[in-house]
Amino acid sequence: MTDIPALPHEDERARVAAEALRLQECAAEPLRTIGRIQSHGTLFGIDEQTGTVVVASEDAEHWLGRSLDQSGSETLTWAVSHAVAVDPVRVEFEGASYDAIVHRGTDPLVVELEPVIPELEYVRTGVVSAIQRLATVTDAEQLRTRAAAEIKAITGFDRVMCYDFHEDGHGQIVADEREPDMEPYFGLHFPASDIPAQARALYLRKRSRVIAHTDDPGRALKALLPEDPPLDLAEAELRGVSPHHLQFMRNMGQASTVSFAIVVEDRMVGMFTCAHRTPRRLPVLLRRALEVLASQIGMQLAAVDQISDLRRRLEARERRVAIVAPLYGRTDVASALLSGTRTVLDVVPADGVLLQYADAVHTVGIVPPPATLLEVVDELGPGHLVCEALPIERPELAVEVPGVAGVLVLPLGADGDRLVFVRGEVARDIDWLGDQTAGNRDHILSPRRSFSAWRESVTGRSLPWGEHAQDAFALGEEIRAALVARNQAELAELALRDALTGLHNRRFLDDRLDALIAGAHTSLAVIFLDLDDFKSVNDTRGHDVGDAVLAAVGKRLAGVARASDMVVRLGGDEFVIVCVGATEADAHHVATRAIAAVSDPIAVDEAVITITMSAGIVVARDATSAADLLAAADAAMYRSKHAGGGRASA
């Protein structure tokens, strides 16, 4: 293992740029229309309307302009008319036995002939047993390793590796079954350009790929009409090989390979690659069987991932619910998110988090100075943001927040409210399949010369946000929904509250009183209260003082009412106390306490106001309506006033 020190960020950026250039070069390579096939077989392009051979590999160029019916092979004639690629047909042609692979739907019709390999004729029967043995494996790592071992035993190749492709396109060798004298590759990473996007796209159409001999110059395709477009070989078994890739294989010490794609939901997530140090080729029916095995492995891996992801998402949702639920009540937003039994850091692990909400800023954990961090976030742009390499991607901003490499931003509303998670820089080692620096290539576009394990120490990056970014986005949506519901509830509550006193208002009373009367309460009393001669306060002291007196009265009434009572300001100087589950005596006691509380002097600025209150008490009877109940209580209150005020009447 070769170790190198942590790369300066400029060197890493240069490597990234070189990799991008290689990917660009790979994308331009005509893999589908390469114009050559591998020399171990023969290929024809046949005009289906006339049966004429219009394209032929150079070993069969003499068939151009003729029909294969003239070959005298009845099996070949039948195959051209009826066979399909998935089910090859054994044919005789020019004195030899071949497997004929016919690709329906191509224009011209592509017919390939691969020589039979008698000694491997029935090896494919072992694939069924392998699939049965692997079917019960539920651990992904064990499944890949055991599958690679099964494939090695069946094929006889020196090495069988399983690749796993990461989200950014690069791959990793996650299983490596090899001969004892071979260098281990398990765990090593490789760049995306080793198996570029164009090559991976071909695996979605054709699930296996044979390269029988890295020193094979191949056979050119000849066309009856030279002006015809190049033949599309996307699904051909014999498709020729990129010279760049052949050199890549030779540098790895590989003389032959066969690879099988692992596809999940139309996405290539990995592959099995069999490599041999001498030329080796598998029969087409064995390859078909191994394609089925690779598909089975893909389905099992998908099931394992789905179960694991479902379990993880359920656990993450439980944590989110514990954090968000209090927001639907009256809990302080900052306390709910940052100070509860569970906080947002339990959902999105980070070194620290900043909450900007309602013009206030709160932090938990290790966070740079808030003003500086928010300036950096503003520079990074609006909306959601996920960054794992700030010193590399935006070095001019990273210097403002030293030590921060990862930033994740969740907007919480249209007013600039947001959560900002930060992660520090974490140096980590990545083991690569070969030195990734320019010194291991003849030039920037050539393959690596050596593939010995090479360790890179990566700096300037945080731990990847990965699945936590998805959890964060879900958390942000749920917080926003809770805050909207909270605001709506507050607005609804305000509509039922008196702005001056904070007590419930007439609308609330109208909504609730009829419901209480119609309910199952055995007793219900209403106390109607009115300040005596309150007009004189407004006339002599002014309405500001009058409002202060009303606010003080409301506070005192709320203080003497029972926990089950409802205190309401009807308007002006009129108040109502609804006593639920109260007898007339209970209500009289509440009214007496209310009158006494209000009669205490009220200090307003430099003035002291003394005022009295009259009360009327009515107990609800069967079939009494809210309007009738209030009218009766109002009448009782006026009887108190006529008796001199400052008292309660029933």
Side-chain angles (χ1 to χ4, degrees), residues 117-159:
I117 310 173
E119 65 272 20
L120 297 178
E121 184 72 18
Y122 296 105
V123 171
R124 64 181 182 273
T125 59
V127 177
V128 174
S129 299
I131 290 174
Q132 292 172 339
R133 286 189 292 271
L134 294 169
T136 59
V137 181
T138 57
D139 177 79
E141 181 178 348
Q142 185 182 13
L143 179 61
R144 293 184 179 106
T145 300
R146 287 184 54 180
E150 293 279 6
I151 294 172
K152 185 178 185 302
I154 291 168
T155 63
F157 274 69
D158 292 331
R159 185 195 298 267

mmCIF file of all heavy atoms in Angstrom, residues 117-159:
data_model
loop_
_atom_site.group_PDB
_atom_site.id
_atom_site.type_symbol
_atom_site.label_atom_id
_atom_site.label_comp_id
_atom_site.label_asym_id
_atom_site.label_seq_id
_atom_site.Cartn_x
_atom_site.Cartn_y
_atom_site.Cartn_z
ATOM 1 N N ILE A 117 -17.847 -24.355 -27.411
ATOM 2 C CA ILE A 117 -16.772 -24.754 -26.499
ATOM 3 C C ILE A 117 -17.217 -26.063 -25.853
ATOM 4 O O ILE A 117 -17.900 -26.061 -24.827
ATOM 5 C CB ILE A 117 -16.510 -23.674 -25.433
ATOM 6 C CG1 ILE A 117 -16.347 -22.297 -26.090
ATOM 7 C CG2 ILE A 117 -15.273 -24.017 -24.603
ATOM 8 C CD1 ILE A 117 -16.248 -21.159 -25.103
ATOM 9 N N PRO A 118 -16.880 -27.194 -26.432
ATOM 10 C CA PRO A 118 -17.441 -28.477 -25.966
ATOM 11 C C PRO A 118 -17.176 -28.771 -24.500
ATOM 12 O O PRO A 118 -18.057 -29.287 -23.792
ATOM 13 C CB PRO A 118 -16.743 -29.503 -26.876
ATOM 14 C CG PRO A 118 -16.338 -28.736 -28.089
ATOM 15 C CD PRO A 118 -16.007 -27.365 -27.601
ATOM 16 N N GLU A 119 -15.987 -28.429 -23.990
ATOM 17 C CA GLU A 119 -15.648 -28.790 -22.610
ATOM 18 C C GLU A 119 -16.444 -28.004 -21.575
ATOM 19 O O GLU A 119 -16.478 -28.375 -20.390
ATOM 20 C CB GLU A 119 -14.143 -28.611 -22.369
ATOM 21 C CG GLU A 119 -13.634 -27.181 -22.462
ATOM 22 C CD GLU A 119 -13.245 -26.759 -23.875
ATOM 23 O OE1 GLU A 119 -13.714 -27.418 -24.844
ATOM 24 O OE2 GLU A 119 -12.479 -25.798 -24.003
ATOM 25 N N LEU A 120 -17.087 -26.911 -21.986
ATOM 26 C CA LEU A 120 -17.885 -26.112 -21.051
ATOM 27 C C LEU A 120 -19.386 -26.220 -21.352
ATOM 28 O O LEU A 120 -20.181 -25.424 -20.859
ATOM 29 C CB LEU A 120 -17.450 -24.638 -21.118
ATOM 30 C CG LEU A 120 -16.002 -24.340 -20.694
ATOM 31 C CD1 LEU A 120 -15.700 -22.855 -20.851
ATOM 32 C CD2 LEU A 120 -15.749 -24.777 -19.268
ATOM 33 N N GLU A 121 -19.739 -27.224 -22.128
ATOM 34 C CA GLU A 121 -21.104 -27.329 -22.632
ATOM 35 C C GLU A 121 -22.148 -27.366 -21.509
ATOM 36 O O GLU A 121 -23.188 -26.728 -21.579
ATOM 37 C CB GLU A 121 -21.231 -28.587 -23.499
ATOM 38 C CG GLU A 121 -22.584 -28.755 -24.158
ATOM 39 C CD GLU A 121 -22.816 -27.767 -25.289
ATOM 40 O OE1 GLU A 121 -21.823 -27.181 -25.797
ATOM 41 O OE2 GLU A 121 -23.974 -27.562 -25.660
ATOM 42 N N TYR A 122 -21.877 -28.113 -20.430
ATOM 43 C CA TYR A 122 -22.896 -28.311 -19.404
ATOM 44 C C TYR A 122 -22.537 -27.666 -18.060
ATOM 45 O O TYR A 122 -23.170 -27.948 -17.051
ATOM 46 C CB TYR A 122 -23.145 -29.809 -19.219
ATOM 47 C CG TYR A 122 -23.716 -30.449 -20.463
ATOM 48 C CD1 TYR A 122 -22.910 -31.244 -21.279
ATOM 49 C CD2 TYR A 122 -25.035 -30.207 -20.836
ATOM 50 C CE1 TYR A 122 -23.425 -31.808 -22.436
ATOM 51 C CE2 TYR A 122 -25.555 -30.766 -21.995
ATOM 52 C CZ TYR A 122 -24.741 -31.565 -22.794
ATOM 53 O OH TYR A 122 -25.251 -32.114 -23.940
ATOM 54 N N VAL A 123 -21.564 -26.807 -18.077
ATOM 55 C CA VAL A 123 -21.190 -26.100 -16.845
ATOM 56 C C VAL A 123 -22.351 -25.254 -16.337
ATOM 57 O O VAL A 123 -22.517 -25.041 -15.139
ATOM 58 C CB VAL A 123 -19.931 -25.233 -17.080
ATOM 59 C CG1 VAL A 123 -19.651 -24.334 -15.880
ATOM 60 C CG2 VAL A 123 -18.724 -26.123 -17.370
ATOM 61 N N ARG A 124 -23.194 -24.792 -17.261
ATOM 62 C CA ARG A 124 -24.290 -23.893 -16.885
ATOM 63 C C ARG A 124 -25.269 -24.530 -15.911
ATOM 64 O O ARG A 124 -26.009 -23.834 -15.209
ATOM 65 C CB ARG A 124 -25.040 -23.418 -18.124
ATOM 66 C CG ARG A 124 -25.750 -24.513 -18.899
ATOM 67 C CD ARG A 124 -26.455 -23.935 -20.123
ATOM 68 N NE ARG A 124 -27.193 -24.941 -20.876
ATOM 69 C CZ ARG A 124 -26.667 -25.696 -21.838
ATOM 70 N NH1 ARG A 124 -25.384 -25.551 -22.153
ATOM 71 N NH2 ARG A 124 -27.409 -26.588 -22.474
ATOM 72 N N THR A 125 -25.301 -25.863 -15.845
ATOM 73 C CA THR A 125 -26.240 -26.508 -14.930
ATOM 74 C C THR A 125 -25.935 -26.171 -13.472
ATOM 75 O O THR A 125 -26.821 -26.235 -12.623
ATOM 76 C CB THR A 125 -26.207 -28.031 -15.128
ATOM 77 O OG1 THR A 125 -24.873 -28.511 -14.890
ATOM 78 C CG2 THR A 125 -26.640 -28.411 -16.535
ATOM 79 N N GLY A 126 -24.697 -25.802 -13.173
ATOM 80 C CA GLY A 126 -24.342 -25.444 -11.801
ATOM 81 C C GLY A 126 -24.886 -24.101 -11.361
ATOM 82 O O GLY A 126 -24.897 -23.795 -10.156
ATOM 83 N N VAL A 127 -25.338 -23.280 -12.312
ATOM 84 C CA VAL A 127 -25.838 -21.951 -11.960
ATOM 85 C C VAL A 127 -27.131 -22.055 -11.158
ATOM 86 O O VAL A 127 -27.362 -21.290 -10.218
ATOM 87 C CB VAL A 127 -26.032 -21.096 -13.223
ATOM 88 C CG1 VAL A 127 -26.622 -19.734 -12.863
ATOM 89 C CG2 VAL A 127 -24.707 -20.920 -13.955
ATOM 90 N N VAL A 128 -27.990 -23.004 -11.505
ATOM 91 C CA VAL A 128 -29.262 -23.156 -10.795
ATOM 92 C C VAL A 128 -29.013 -23.461 -9.325
ATOM 93 O O VAL A 128 -29.631 -22.865 -8.432
ATOM 94 C CB VAL A 128 -30.116 -24.264 -11.440
ATOM 95 C CG1 VAL A 128 -31.370 -24.516 -10.614
ATOM 96 C CG2 VAL A 128 -30.479 -23.892 -12.868
ATOM 97 N N SER A 129 -28.094 -24.380 -9.049
ATOM 98 C CA SER A 129 -27.768 -24.710 -7.659
ATOM 99 C C SER A 129 -27.200 -23.501 -6.929
ATOM 100 O O SER A 129 -27.510 -23.266 -5.753
ATOM 101 C CB SER A 129 -26.776 -25.868 -7.616
ATOM 102 O OG SER A 129 -27.319 -27.030 -8.215
ATOM 103 N N ALA A 130 -26.381 -22.708 -7.624
ATOM 104 C CA ALA A 130 -25.801 -21.512 -7.005
ATOM 105 C C ALA A 130 -26.897 -20.511 -6.632
ATOM 106 O O ALA A 130 -26.876 -19.927 -5.541
ATOM 107 C CB ALA A 130 -24.793 -20.869 -7.954
ATOM 108 N N ILE A 131 -27.848 -20.314 -7.536
ATOM 109 C CA ILE A 131 -28.951 -19.389 -7.253
ATOM 110 C C ILE A 131 -29.732 -19.859 -6.039
ATOM 111 O O ILE A 131 -30.107 -19.060 -5.163
ATOM 112 C CB ILE A 131 -29.869 -19.259 -8.480
ATOM 113 C CG1 ILE A 131 -29.147 -18.504 -9.603
ATOM 114 C CG2 ILE A 131 -31.170 -18.541 -8.117
ATOM 115 C CD1 ILE A 131 -29.914 -18.452 -10.907
ATOM 116 N N GLN A 132 -29.967 -21.158 -5.937
ATOM 117 C CA GLN A 132 -30.704 -21.694 -4.794
ATOM 118 C C GLN A 132 -29.940 -21.485 -3.492
ATOM 119 O O GLN A 132 -30.525 -21.147 -2.460
ATOM 120 C CB GLN A 132 -30.991 -23.182 -5.016
ATOM 121 C CG GLN A 132 -31.988 -23.440 -6.139
ATOM 122 C CD GLN A 132 -32.110 -24.917 -6.477
ATOM 123 O OE1 GLN A 132 -31.212 -25.710 -6.173
ATOM 124 N NE2 GLN A 132 -33.209 -25.295 -7.114
ATOM 125 N N ARG A 133 -28.623 -21.666 -3.532
ATOM 126 C CA ARG A 133 -27.826 -21.471 -2.314
ATOM 127 C C ARG A 133 -27.790 -20.002 -1.890
ATOM 128 O O ARG A 133 -27.753 -19.683 -0.701
ATOM 129 C CB ARG A 133 -26.400 -21.990 -2.538
ATOM 130 C CG ARG A 133 -26.290 -23.509 -2.544
ATOM 131 C CD ARG A 133 -24.833 -23.939 -2.539
ATOM 132 N NE ARG A 133 -24.140 -23.618 -3.772
ATOM 133 C CZ ARG A 133 -24.071 -24.417 -4.845
ATOM 134 N NH1 ARG A 133 -24.687 -25.599 -4.824
ATOM 135 N NH2 ARG A 133 -23.415 -24.053 -5.927
ATOM 136 N N LEU A 134 -27.802 -19.111 -2.861
ATOM 137 C CA LEU A 134 -27.702 -17.681 -2.551
ATOM 138 C C LEU A 134 -29.045 -17.061 -2.161
ATOM 139 O O LEU A 134 -29.077 -15.973 -1.579
ATOM 140 C CB LEU A 134 -27.136 -16.928 -3.758
ATOM 141 C CG LEU A 134 -25.689 -17.261 -4.142
ATOM 142 C CD1 LEU A 134 -25.352 -16.654 -5.493
ATOM 143 C CD2 LEU A 134 -24.714 -16.771 -3.082
ATOM 144 N N ALA A 135 -30.127 -17.737 -2.474
ATOM 145 C CA ALA A 135 -31.459 -17.146 -2.307
ATOM 146 C C ALA A 135 -31.782 -16.806 -0.863
ATOM 147 O O ALA A 135 -32.598 -15.923 -0.598
ATOM 148 C CB ALA A 135 -32.523 -18.086 -2.876
ATOM 149 N N THR A 136 -31.167 -17.506 0.097
ATOM 150 C CA THR A 136 -31.501 -17.297 1.510
ATOM 151 C C THR A 136 -30.593 -16.285 2.199
ATOM 152 O O THR A 136 -30.791 -15.992 3.378
ATOM 153 C CB THR A 136 -31.427 -18.631 2.263
ATOM 154 O OG1 THR A 136 -30.098 -19.168 2.141
ATOM 155 C CG2 THR A 136 -32.432 -19.627 1.709
ATOM 156 N N VAL A 137 -29.612 -15.744 1.476
ATOM 157 C CA VAL A 137 -28.664 -14.799 2.085
ATOM 158 C C VAL A 137 -29.314 -13.420 2.160
ATOM 159 O O VAL A 137 -29.778 -12.884 1.150
ATOM 160 C CB VAL A 137 -27.350 -14.735 1.279
ATOM 161 C CG1 VAL A 137 -26.369 -13.776 1.951
ATOM 162 C CG2 VAL A 137 -26.736 -16.123 1.145
ATOM 163 N N THR A 138 -29.329 -12.822 3.346
ATOM 164 C CA THR A 138 -29.999 -11.523 3.539
ATOM 165 C C THR A 138 -29.041 -10.400 3.901
ATOM 166 O O THR A 138 -29.461 -9.257 4.040
ATOM 167 C CB THR A 138 -31.061 -11.637 4.647
ATOM 168 O OG1 THR A 138 -30.432 -12.090 5.850
ATOM 169 C CG2 THR A 138 -32.156 -12.614 4.246
ATOM 170 N N ASP A 139 -27.764 -10.705 4.059
ATOM 171 C CA ASP A 139 -26.772 -9.667 4.337
ATOM 172 C C ASP A 139 -26.095 -9.280 3.026
ATOM 173 O O ASP A 139 -25.581 -10.146 2.297
ATOM 174 C CB ASP A 139 -25.738 -10.183 5.336
ATOM 175 C CG ASP A 139 -24.637 -9.170 5.600
ATOM 176 O OD1 ASP A 139 -24.868 -8.227 6.377
ATOM 177 O OD2 ASP A 139 -23.544 -9.323 5.003
ATOM 178 N N ALA A 140 -26.087 -7.989 2.696
ATOM 179 C CA ALA A 140 -25.598 -7.533 1.391
ATOM 180 C C ALA A 140 -24.132 -7.878 1.185
ATOM 181 O O ALA A 140 -23.737 -8.365 0.112
ATOM 182 C CB ALA A 140 -25.819 -6.028 1.256
ATOM 183 N N GLU A 141 -23.300 -7.630 2.181
ATOM 184 C CA GLU A 141 -21.869 -7.901 2.031
ATOM 185 C C GLU A 141 -21.619 -9.397 1.830
ATOM 186 O O GLU A 141 -20.850 -9.812 0.957
ATOM 187 C CB GLU A 141 -21.122 -7.394 3.268
ATOM 188 C CG GLU A 141 -19.620 -7.613 3.199
ATOM 189 C CD GLU A 141 -18.901 -7.061 4.419
ATOM 190 O OE1 GLU A 141 -19.537 -6.322 5.197
ATOM 191 O OE2 GLU A 141 -17.706 -7.377 4.595
ATOM 192 N N GLN A 142 -22.291 -10.215 2.628
ATOM 193 C CA GLN A 142 -22.130 -11.658 2.506
ATOM 194 C C GLN A 142 -22.664 -12.151 1.169
ATOM 195 O O GLN A 142 -22.080 -13.050 0.540
ATOM 196 C CB GLN A 142 -22.857 -12.353 3.660
ATOM 197 C CG GLN A 142 -22.650 -13.859 3.695
ATOM 198 C CD GLN A 142 -23.429 -14.515 4.813
ATOM 199 O OE1 GLN A 142 -24.304 -13.902 5.416
ATOM 200 N NE2 GLN A 142 -23.117 -15.769 5.098
ATOM 201 N N LEU A 143 -23.767 -11.563 0.704
ATOM 202 C CA LEU A 143 -24.359 -11.970 -0.570
ATOM 203 C C LEU A 143 -23.396 -11.718 -1.716
ATOM 204 O O LEU A 143 -23.197 -12.591 -2.583
ATOM 205 C CB LEU A 143 -25.667 -11.215 -0.790
ATOM 206 C CG LEU A 143 -26.405 -11.499 -2.099
ATOM 207 C CD1 LEU A 143 -26.791 -12.966 -2.192
ATOM 208 C CD2 LEU A 143 -27.638 -10.605 -2.216
ATOM 209 N N ARG A 144 -22.775 -10.559 -1.760
ATOM 210 C CA ARG A 144 -21.839 -10.236 -2.839
ATOM 211 C C ARG A 144 -20.636 -11.181 -2.812
ATOM 212 O O ARG A 144 -20.191 -11.677 -3.849
ATOM 213 C CB ARG A 144 -21.386 -8.785 -2.722
ATOM 214 C CG ARG A 144 -22.481 -7.748 -2.980
ATOM 215 C CD ARG A 144 -21.880 -6.358 -2.942
ATOM 216 N NE ARG A 144 -22.849 -5.307 -3.209
ATOM 217 C CZ ARG A 144 -23.349 -4.486 -2.275
ATOM 218 N NH1 ARG A 144 -22.976 -4.622 -1.008
ATOM 219 N NH2 ARG A 144 -24.212 -3.549 -2.598
ATOM 220 N N THR A 145 -20.108 -11.411 -1.607
ATOM 221 C CA THR A 145 -18.927 -12.260 -1.481
ATOM 222 C C THR A 145 -19.232 -13.694 -1.897
ATOM 223 O O THR A 145 -18.470 -14.313 -2.656
ATOM 224 C CB THR A 145 -18.416 -12.232 -0.031
ATOM 225 O OG1 THR A 145 -18.065 -10.880 0.314
ATOM 226 C CG2 THR A 145 -17.198 -13.114 0.137
ATOM 227 N N ARG A 146 -20.342 -14.225 -1.427
ATOM 228 C CA ARG A 146 -20.681 -15.607 -1.764
ATOM 229 C C ARG A 146 -21.022 -15.751 -3.244
ATOM 230 O O ARG A 146 -20.694 -16.764 -3.874
ATOM 231 C CB ARG A 146 -21.833 -16.086 -0.890
ATOM 232 C CG ARG A 146 -21.409 -16.349 0.553
ATOM 233 C CD ARG A 146 -22.529 -16.909 1.398
ATOM 234 N NE ARG A 146 -23.124 -18.109 0.821
ATOM 235 C CZ ARG A 146 -24.131 -18.775 1.383
ATOM 236 N NH1 ARG A 146 -24.632 -18.351 2.550
ATOM 237 N NH2 ARG A 146 -24.625 -19.853 0.799
ATOM 238 N N ALA A 147 -21.684 -14.737 -3.800
ATOM 239 C CA ALA A 147 -22.001 -14.790 -5.232
ATOM 240 C C ALA A 147 -20.724 -14.782 -6.067
ATOM 241 O O ALA A 147 -20.605 -15.529 -7.051
ATOM 242 C CB ALA A 147 -22.901 -13.618 -5.612
ATOM 243 N N ALA A 148 -19.759 -13.938 -5.689
ATOM 244 C CA ALA A 148 -18.485 -13.905 -6.416
ATOM 245 C C ALA A 148 -17.784 -15.255 -6.341
ATOM 246 O O ALA A 148 -17.208 -15.737 -7.333
ATOM 247 C CB ALA A 148 -17.598 -12.798 -5.857
ATOM 248 N N ALA A 149 -17.840 -15.899 -5.176
ATOM 249 C CA ALA A 149 -17.217 -17.214 -5.023
ATOM 250 C C ALA A 149 -17.917 -18.256 -5.888
ATOM 251 O O ALA A 149 -17.262 -19.112 -6.513
ATOM 252 C CB ALA A 149 -17.243 -17.631 -3.551
ATOM 253 N N GLU A 150 -19.243 -18.204 -5.935
ATOM 254 C CA GLU A 150 -19.992 -19.149 -6.763
ATOM 255 C C GLU A 150 -19.639 -18.960 -8.241
ATOM 256 O O GLU A 150 -19.428 -19.932 -8.981
ATOM 257 C CB GLU A 150 -21.497 -18.961 -6.561
ATOM 258 C CG GLU A 150 -22.026 -19.327 -5.182
ATOM 259 C CD GLU A 150 -22.246 -20.829 -5.022
ATOM 260 O OE1 GLU A 150 -21.889 -21.590 -5.940
ATOM 261 O OE2 GLU A 150 -22.785 -21.218 -3.967
ATOM 262 N N ILE A 151 -19.579 -17.702 -8.689
ATOM 263 C CA ILE A 151 -19.276 -17.423 -10.095
ATOM 264 C C ILE A 151 -17.864 -17.881 -10.435
ATOM 265 O O ILE A 151 -17.613 -18.440 -11.512
ATOM 266 C CB ILE A 151 -19.464 -15.923 -10.394
ATOM 267 C CG1 ILE A 151 -20.939 -15.543 -10.251
ATOM 268 C CG2 ILE A 151 -18.972 -15.585 -11.798
ATOM 269 C CD1 ILE A 151 -21.207 -14.055 -10.339
ATOM 270 N N LYS A 152 -16.936 -17.675 -9.519
ATOM 271 C CA LYS A 152 -15.554 -18.124 -9.757
ATOM 272 C C LYS A 152 -15.496 -19.649 -9.899
ATOM 273 O O LYS A 152 -14.822 -20.186 -10.787
ATOM 274 C CB LYS A 152 -14.641 -17.664 -8.623
ATOM 275 C CG LYS A 152 -13.165 -17.981 -8.852
ATOM 276 C CD LYS A 152 -12.301 -17.448 -7.722
ATOM 277 C CE LYS A 152 -10.817 -17.653 -8.017
ATOM 278 N NZ LYS A 152 -10.450 -19.061 -8.238
ATOM 279 N N ALA A 153 -16.217 -20.343 -9.015
ATOM 280 C CA ALA A 153 -16.213 -21.803 -9.079
ATOM 281 C C ALA A 153 -16.830 -22.305 -10.386
ATOM 282 O O ALA A 153 -16.366 -23.297 -10.968
ATOM 283 C CB ALA A 153 -16.969 -22.371 -7.883
ATOM 284 N N ILE A 154 -17.857 -21.636 -10.869
ATOM 285 C CA ILE A 154 -18.539 -22.067 -12.090
ATOM 286 C C ILE A 154 -17.704 -21.765 -13.326
ATOM 287 O O ILE A 154 -17.582 -22.599 -14.236
ATOM 288 C CB ILE A 154 -19.914 -21.376 -12.191
ATOM 289 C CG1 ILE A 154 -20.856 -21.906 -11.099
ATOM 290 C CG2 ILE A 154 -20.530 -21.586 -13.571
ATOM 291 C CD1 ILE A 154 -22.114 -21.086 -10.941
ATOM 292 N N THR A 155 -17.114 -20.572 -13.393
ATOM 293 C CA THR A 155 -16.444 -20.117 -14.620
ATOM 294 C C THR A 155 -14.997 -20.548 -14.730
ATOM 295 O O THR A 155 -14.463 -20.641 -15.839
ATOM 296 C CB THR A 155 -16.497 -18.586 -14.712
ATOM 297 O OG1 THR A 155 -15.774 -18.019 -13.593
ATOM 298 C CG2 THR A 155 -17.938 -18.084 -14.693
ATOM 299 N N GLY A 156 -14.341 -20.772 -13.579
ATOM 300 C CA GLY A 156 -12.931 -21.121 -13.616
ATOM 301 C C GLY A 156 -12.008 -19.941 -13.859
ATOM 302 O O GLY A 156 -10.808 -20.125 -14.117
ATOM 303 N N PHE A 157 -12.519 -18.711 -13.764
ATOM 304 C CA PHE A 157 -11.666 -17.539 -13.936
ATOM 305 C C PHE A 157 -10.775 -17.342 -12.707
ATOM 306 O O PHE A 157 -11.129 -17.733 -11.593
ATOM 307 C CB PHE A 157 -12.520 -16.298 -14.179
ATOM 308 C CG PHE A 157 -12.899 -16.092 -15.622
ATOM 309 C CD1 PHE A 157 -13.785 -16.945 -16.255
ATOM 310 C CD2 PHE A 157 -12.349 -15.051 -16.348
ATOM 311 C CE1 PHE A 157 -14.131 -16.767 -17.579
ATOM 312 C CE2 PHE A 157 -12.689 -14.847 -17.679
ATOM 313 C CZ PHE A 157 -13.583 -15.714 -18.298
ATOM 314 N N ASP A 158 -9.612 -16.708 -12.942
ATOM 315 C CA ASP A 158 -8.654 -16.487 -11.851
ATOM 316 C C ASP A 158 -9.215 -15.577 -10.767
ATOM 317 O O ASP A 158 -8.913 -15.749 -9.587
ATOM 318 C CB ASP A 158 -7.366 -15.845 -12.392
ATOM 319 C CG ASP A 158 -6.588 -16.782 -13.288
ATOM 320 O OD1 ASP A 158 -6.682 -18.014 -13.081
ATOM 321 O OD2 ASP A 158 -5.885 -16.293 -14.199
ATOM 322 N N ARG A 159 -9.988 -14.609 -11.174
ATOM 323 C CA ARG A 159 -10.494 -13.617 -10.221
ATOM 324 C C ARG A 159 -11.921 -13.246 -10.590
ATOM 325 O O ARG A 159 -12.236 -13.084 -11.770
ATOM 326 C CB ARG A 159 -9.628 -12.351 -10.239
ATOM 327 C CG ARG A 159 -10.040 -11.320 -9.180
ATOM 328 C CD ARG A 159 -9.439 -9.929 -9.437
ATOM 329 N NE ARG A 159 -8.011 -9.873 -9.405
ATOM 330 C CZ ARG A 159 -7.274 -9.581 -8.325
ATOM 331 N NH1 ARG A 159 -7.860 -9.341 -7.173
ATOM 332 N NH2 ARG A 159 -5.962 -9.526 -8.408
#
